Amino acid sequence: MDIYIKFIYSLVVVLILAYAIKRKGYLDNMGVVVSSIMAFIIIMGTDLKWLLLMVGFLILGSLISRVGHSKKKSMGIYESKRSIKNVLANGVVAVLIIILYLIGILDYNMALFGYVGAISAATSDTFSSELGILSNETPRLITNFKKVEKGIDGGITFYGTVAGILGGFLIGFMAGLLFNDYNLLWIGILSGILGNFSDSFFGALFERRNILNNEHVNFICTLIGGLSAMILYGLF
């Protein structure tokens, strides 16, 4: 595709996407702006299939966050809209992987698997957080498995872990369909849950002590997801 045609095509797609996100109320105003910039980099640097995976994460995350919204409101943890912090924390690693591909540091397949791993980790973590809090189980701290109160950073439940596996599976399955490579399915699941567990681990070690905040831990989650996916791709 000619670069000028692709520029116009990408701009039109991004504007349509921004309008849809704004209308659905998935993100606040700054979140829409930053996500649009990220979407433009993704589609200009690769193609529409890559962007569809990120859109899939956004839609799945927004829908799953509304499950049990009454209970979440009563607990004071319900977020009707995601902010710029959420967008950057969950999406910047995926965009950086594309930039590394564009400047020749990563080849196409390595970048693709890393990209899928980062998004799988973000989705897995979102599913665990949003659904795990609804469980009647008593969470256990990932570092020592002692019982903790709900909402404590680093607390995990069986229900939340299964939900996280489901989140990674959905992104891996979507990637497998889009790119006709079902290695993306199992790598998406594994890298998703590894990133998810790293989120809980760093949350227990550092977020509970106010050394890191939620966005820092989410960034680490996607970084571990992307790196683990590239390592798995290189090994197998």
Side-chain angles (χ1 to χ4, degrees), residues 3 8 10 24 29 46 55 59 94 128 160 180 196 219 236:
I3 187 65
I8 295 171
S10 301
K24 289 291 185 180
N29 290 336
T46 54
V55 173
I59 293 174
S128 285
N180 195 30
N196 189 347
F219 172 83
F236 300 105

Side-chain angles (χ1 to χ4, degrees), residues 4-221:
Y4 298 109
I5 296 175
K6 188 170 186 179
F7 179 88
I8 295 171
Y9 162 76
S10 301
L11 189 60
V12 170
V13 170
V14 169
L15 289 174
I16 293 172
L17 181 61
Y19 173 77
I21 291 172
K22 176 67 176 175
R23 184 169 182 177
K24 289 291 185 180
Y26 292 148
L27 302 172
D28 64 15
N29 290 336
M30 283 305 299
V32 172
V33 171
V34 173
S35 66
S36 297
I37 294 170
M38 292 168 67
F40 185 77
I41 294 171
I42 291 169
I43 196 169
M44 276 294 292
T46 54
D47 58 46
L48 185 60
K49 292 184 291 186
W50 291 59
L51 181 59
L52 287 176
L53 277 179
M54 186 65 81
V55 173
F57 159 67
L58 175 62
I59 293 174
L60 288 171
S62 297
L63 292 176
I64 215 71
S65 69
R66 297 178 185 184
V67 175
H69 70 279
S70 298
K71 184 174 182 179
K72 291 173 185 175
K73 280 184 178 179
S74 69
M75 298 169 69
I77 59 171
Y78 180 69
E79 289 182 295
S80 60
K81 290 184 179 181
R82 304 290 181 174
S83 69
I84 181 175
K85 291 181 180 179
N86 300 121
V87 173
L88 290 173
N90 289 298
V92 73
V93 169
V95 174
L96 287 174
I97 287 171
I98 288 177
I99 292 172
L100 291 176
Y101 160 65
L102 291 175
I103 62 179
I105 293 177
L106 297 176
D107 64 27
Y108 179 88
N109 286 327
M110 187 67 78
L112 174 59
F113 277 80
Y115 180 81
V116 171
I119 297 175
S120 292
T123 309
S124 178
D125 178 54
T126 300
F127 271 54
S128 285
S129 300
E130 296 291 346
L131 296 181
I133 197 70
L134 301 175
S135 171
N136 292 323
E137 298 172 69
T138 300
R140 292 181 179 271
L141 202 63
I142 193 170
T143 50
N144 57 22
F145 295 102
K146 291 182 178 179
K147 292 182 178 181
V148 292
E149 295 181 9
K150 283 189 176 183
I152 293 295
D153 298 315
I156 60 172
T157 62
F158 175 78
Y159 181 67
T161 300
V162 172
I165 293 171
L166 174 62
F169 167 81
L170 290 174
I171 293 299
F173 182 71
M174 183 186 296
L177 287 177
L178 286 170
F179 296 95
N180 195 30
D181 185 347
Y182 288 95
N183 285 316
L184 289 166
L185 173 58
W186 69 267
I187 286 184
I189 295 171
L190 287 178
S191 58
I193 202 64
L194 286 171
N196 189 347
F197 283 155
S198 73
D199 183 282
S200 299
F201 183 76
F202 281 92
L205 286 182
F206 301 111
E207 193 175 353
R208 289 177 67 227
R209 296 176 172 84
N210 295 318
I211 298 172
L212 298 176
N213 62 29
N214 184 61
E215 286 72 35
H216 296 146
V217 173
N218 286 345
F219 172 83
I220 293 170
C221 166

